[in-house]
Amino acid sequence: MSPVDRGPSAAGRAGGTLPAPATGPVPAPHRRRTTVHPGAWWLWALSLGTAATRTTNPLLLALLVSASAFVVATHRTAAPTAHAYAAFARLAVAVLLIRLLFATALGSPVPGTHTLLTLPEVPLPHWAQGIRLGGRVTAESLVFAAYDGLKLATLLICVGAANALASPGRLLKSLPGALYETGVAVVVALTFAPHLVADVRRLRAARRLRGRPDRGVRGLLQVGLPVLEGALERSVALAAAMEARGYGRSAEVPARVRRTTGALTLGGLLGVCAGTYGLLTAEGGTYGLPLLLAGVVAALAGLRLGGRRSLRTRYRPDPWGLRAWLVAGSGAAVAALLGLASARDPGALHPGVVPLVAPTLPLWPAAAVLLALLPAFVIPKEPS
């Protein structure tokens, strides 16, 4: 029998071995996606930022920062935007230090009795009344500035967590068609900072490999110019790519539909503003909620009509499922509970500085902040 005619039986008689059948998993063309909707992560992070604006207690703010850091450490991906959290953390520290510096140099409206040091005071003209340079620096003014700066720093860290957990490019696909142009501008602006951070790290590593200094003023100046040049080249290439792909193309819409869209959107936004003001005041509690709901409905209708003039499609849109509800709901619960605690017990969430007292940790607001850790335990890590 020739080698061409030799079959499996002949191979067995000749002492040969047959190849083992493939036992690996058959690739599924439509495997179920386990990613969480990017809007859920952004709602979670912005809700934590909203909760941070309701308190100046440094213990609660530290809990919010720790919760966001833990979730980012367990669920961030390998995308370039994942490194934005460290950059926003450094920016938050810089903001806190600048706030303390301003309180030291320019003074504070908070009266104090515990004088730490006295700086030389610079006399100012009469038209600059209320502003001083130097003078007495008190512990009360520094503590007040630290509380205020820590609140803003926590808000910045929450925004950094949103960039690290969900790419702004994925969020763009979920925006309504009427907000498409605005969404493109916002996404480009949000992705600009992570790319700058990546360029700085790459250039500093290259300078270290060449034995050149990468720190100090000299290293910063020699790294800054290539970073700015790369940012300019990237912006020009991005503009050309967007123009080639038809960004900004719109459909023909009748004038009547455009006027109706503008009236619904503008009227809805005014209704939302008036309804929110009514909810925040005691006199407008009766009309605040109906006006807010009517404004939301009108604004959504305007966005729906405005989406007709945007010719765009979505490739593999992110589904909004149970996991997205859990992520967004945990952040919303933290914001709502801290808002309720701020209204019921403002002394616990806003520790006083005159007289100067040590902040205490309120129990049930702290337990409410721990709800922000829910995504770290119930959401599986996204594949990198």
Side-chain angles (χ1 to χ4, degrees):
M1 182 181 294
S2 64
V4 177
D5 299 331
R6 182 176 297 174
S9 58
R13 289 192 301 268
T17 58
L18 295 177
T23 58
V26 179
H30 300 287
R31 183 172 295 175
R32 185 180 179 182
R33 302 183 68 185
T34 60
T35 57
V36 180
H37 195 284
W41 286 119
W42 276 85
L43 287 176
W44 174 83
L46 294 180
S47 298
L48 295 189
T50 303
T53 62
R54 309 304 301 172
T55 179
T56 56
N57 191 320
L59 301 179
L60 290 177
L61 293 175
L63 274 180
L64 286 171
V65 172
S66 301
S68 66
F70 183 78
V71 175
V72 168
T74 55
H75 282 75
R76 68 178 177 182
T77 61
T81 56
H83 302 288
Y85 187 79
F88 274 91
R90 296 189 187 97
L91 178 61
V93 173
V95 167
L96 179 59
L97 295 178
I98 291 173
R99 182 67 179 89
L100 291 174
L101 179 62
F102 280 0
T104 303
L106 303 179
S108 175
V110 177
T113 57
H114 299 80
T115 303
L116 298 179
L117 71 157
T118 302
L119 300 176
E121 188 170 355
V122 179
L124 297 176
H126 68 279
W127 50 265
Q129 293 182 359
I131 303 175
R132 68 176 179 86
L133 294 177
R136 192 166 59 96
V137 180
T138 62
E140 288 82 358
S141 63
L142 287 183
V143 171
F144 177 79
Y147 288 170
D148 193 35
L150 186 59
K151 180 171 65 174
L152 181 57
T154 306
L155 181 59
L156 290 174
I157 289 176
C158 292
V159 176
N163 280 274
L165 292 169
S167 171
R170 286 177 53 199
L171 184 63
L172 174 64
K173 297 191 300 183
S174 305
L175 289 178
L179 300 178
Y180 180 59
E181 290 83 1
T182 305
V184 170
V186 171
V187 167
V188 170
L190 288 177
T191 54
F192 188 75
H195 283 296
L196 285 182
V197 173
D199 287 347
V200 170
R201 295 178 61 182
R202 177 176 54 82
L203 289 172
R204 290 182 61 184
R207 291 183 63 84
R208 285 195 299 268
L209 291 175
R210 291 177 174 86
R212 298 177 181 177
D214 62 321
R215 297 183 181 274
V217 178
R218 181 180 178 183
L220 180 62
L221 293 177
Q222 293 183 356
V223 168
L225 185 60
V227 168
L228 293 178
E229 182 181 0
L232 181 60
E233 293 178 355
R234 189 182 302 111
S235 63
V236 173
L238 178 62
M242 291 176 66
E243 183 178 1
R245 287 168 173 81
Y247 278 75
R249 183 181 54 175
S250 59
E252 293 293 335
V253 179
R256 176 175 55 84
V257 176
R258 289 199 301 268
R259 289 193 294 267
T260 305
T261 301
L264 285 175
T265 305
L266 182 59
L269 294 178
L270 291 177
V272 169
C273 294
T276 304
Y277 176 78
L279 290 177
L280 295 177
T281 58
E283 295 80 4
T286 56
Y287 68 85
L289 184 59
L291 192 57
L292 177 62
L293 295 178
V296 170
V297 172
L300 291 178
L303 293 177
R304 180 70 176 177
L305 286 177
R308 296 181 177 180
R309 57 186 300 270
S310 178
L311 301 177
R312 56 192 294 256
T313 59
R314 292 185 177 91
Y315 174 69
R316 296 181 65 188
D318 293 291
W320 186 283
L322 177 60
R323 292 167 178 167
W325 284 113
L326 288 175
V327 171
S330 63
V334 173
L337 290 176
L338 280 191
L340 181 62
S342 177
R344 290 191 173 184
D345 192 7
L349 270 69
H350 300 276
V353 295
V354 180
L356 193 61
V357 295
T360 59
L361 182 64
L363 294 182
W364 76 268
V369 173
L370 294 180
L371 292 176
L373 296 173
L374 183 64
F377 299 102
V378 301
I379 305 299
K381 190 181 186 303
E382 296 184 6
S384 57

